[in-house]
Amino acid sequence: MASIMMRRLPGSFRHFSSTSSSRSAAVEVKRIGVVGAGQMGLGIALVAAQRAQVPVTLVDSSQASLDKGLAFAEKLLAKDVSKSRITQEQADSARSLLTPSTTLDDLSSVDFIIEAVPEIPSLKFDIFSRLAQIAPKHAILATNTSSISITRIAASTTKDARDTTNSSRVVSTHFMNPVPVQKGVEIIAGLQTSQSTLDSAIAFCKRLGKIPSVSADSPGFLANRILMPYINEAIICLETGVGDRDSIDAIMKNGTNVPMGPLQLADFIGLDTCLAIMKVLYEETGDSKYRPSVHLRNMVDAGWLGKKSGKGFYDY
């Protein structure tokens, strides 16, 4: 086993040892596509229009979702204007760069695509299989997944494992929520990801004003591997009576200087999302320390998903 691991590690981490090098030319990004007009997708599209000032094609199968997303974008831009963060001219320019679409075919001329749909593996695999055929051969195919293996997503782009033409351009750009506010972004390379693809992802995220952190393609990556057990343990403390809701959140806010406690944060993320990520960590590692809280499962079963449903650990 040791000899196998020693042979595997250099290949697994070959991308990370030279991320700052200039050996490979990054793709020049003049136009991007975002798949998914929900909170994350809309945030990514808006930041790209504002910071990188590139045309963005925002794709969603639902016209209602597109309308809702663009209305929210206009609300955010208006808020920035009212607070003198940007001028009305800058807001109008950013809005003009956002083009809605209900078909992936409209991504046939972009240089960089970021998928931001729900964490449903089959849905992501289907989208990437289609994008591999639609997007230009130089285009980067990025996913905003928070827990699904990048290697598995990349594998969905080809029927022949020996042909890495498409799979080598798949990478993860996992943005933090809310995207317009949070500077962090995780860059994750799958086994097939080329150095050029990795360099392109890092360069583009920096262009968006983000601070990239590079993670291995391991369950939960960096952010959720650390964050979700913290939230899950806080819920276990609540269900076992170690502390009440307010005490748990107060000690973490006042003791560690975080802006919100773990239970409030779980509500903000969405308890269904927290549960889904904990399930991935538990199932893929087999480690009992990642076992989801029973109380978390019960709350999701009750439809108490946090802020988005109006009720979670707090009422909204």
Side-chain angles (χ1 to χ4, degrees):
M1 180 62 73
S3 62
I4 293 175
M5 290 301 293
M6 288 302 290
R7 289 199 300 270
R8 180 185 175 86
L9 285 173
S12 300
F13 289 87
R14 69 188 188 286
H15 305 291
F16 310 134
S17 60
S18 57
T19 55
S20 61
S21 72
S22 58
R23 290 181 301 136
S24 53
V27 170
E28 184 177 5
V29 181
K30 296 181 179 179
R31 180 181 295 272
I32 80 162
V34 176
V35 182
Q39 185 177 21
M40 293 300 294
L42 187 280
I44 294 167
L46 184 58
V47 168
Q50 281 190 282
R51 304 280 177 81
Q53 299 180 344
V54 293
V56 182
T57 301
L58 181 61
V59 178
D60 197 290
S61 59
S62 167
Q63 184 63 50
S65 293
L66 287 168
D67 294 341
K68 182 179 179 180
L70 291 175
F72 185 55
E74 291 172 356
K75 181 179 179 180
L76 291 177
L77 290 169
K79 182 178 180 180
D80 282 346
V81 172
S82 70
K83 292 183 176 295
S84 300
R85 294 170 182 159
I86 60 174
T87 65
Q88 185 61 53
E89 182 180 6
Q90 289 173 321
D92 292 341
S93 175
R95 175 61 184 86
S96 70
L97 291 171
L98 299 175
T99 301
S101 171
T102 55
T103 174
L104 290 176
D105 290 337
D106 286 339
L107 301 179
S108 60
S109 60
V110 301
D111 307 301
F112 203 111
I113 299 173
I114 303 173
E115 164 273 314
V117 303
E119 291 287 274
I120 302 171
S122 59
L123 176 60
K124 291 183 185 286
F125 299 158
D126 178 63
I127 288 173
F128 273 81
S129 176
R130 295 167 63 190
L131 289 177
Q133 304 305 314
I134 293 170
K137 292 304 179 185
H138 72 277
I140 303 299
L141 308 179
T143 174
N144 188 56
T145 185
S146 59
S147 58
I148 300 171
S149 166
I150 312 308
T151 297
R152 289 181 64 197
I153 293 175
S156 69
T157 64
T158 181
K159 294 181 180 179
D160 184 350
R162 296 168 297 180
D163 181 6
T164 60
T165 304
N166 289 320
S167 59
S168 66
R169 54 190 179 127
V170 175
V171 69
S172 175
T173 52
H174 177 212
F175 291 83
M176 303 294 110
N177 188 25
V179 181
V181 176
Q182 301 289 10
K183 291 186 177 295
V185 58
E186 280 184 312
I187 309 294
I188 304 105
L191 192 61
Q192 311 93 319
T193 307
S194 71
Q195 184 67 45
S196 175
T197 295
L198 186 65
D199 290 345
S200 297
I202 292 172
F204 185 64
C205 286
K206 287 181 177 179
R207 189 175 165 191
L208 297 182
K210 303 301 181 184
I211 302 174
S213 294
V214 180
S215 169
D217 187 14
S218 182
F221 314 132
L222 283 176
N224 285 324
R225 186 71 166 262
I226 298 168
L227 176 63
M228 287 304 161
Y230 158 71
I231 289 175
N232 192 60
E233 190 62 31
I235 300 171
I236 292 173
C237 284
L238 179 67
E239 73 177 82
T240 57
V242 177
D244 61 24
R245 179 197 70 183
D246 293 343
S247 293
I248 291 169
D249 276 356
I251 191 59
M252 297 314 296
K253 287 173 64 178
N254 299 321
T256 64
N257 202 32
V258 293
M260 63 177 71
L263 301 179
Q264 184 184 7
L265 179 57
D267 275 355
F268 183 82
I269 294 170
L271 302 190
D272 53 339
T273 300
C274 293
L275 178 59
I277 296 171
M278 286 305 300
K279 284 181 175 179
V280 169
L281 288 172
Y282 184 44
E283 292 167 4
E284 294 196 7
T285 65
D287 193 329
S288 62
K289 72 180 180 182
Y290 297 120
R291 177 169 46 85
S293 158
V294 173
H295 190 52
L296 174 60
R297 291 179 183 271
N298 287 341
M299 291 187 72
V300 172
D301 287 343
W304 299 351
L305 308 182
K307 188 174 182 180
K308 62 184 174 185
S309 69
K311 183 175 181 60
F313 294 106
Y314 296 82
D315 291 330
Y316 299 90

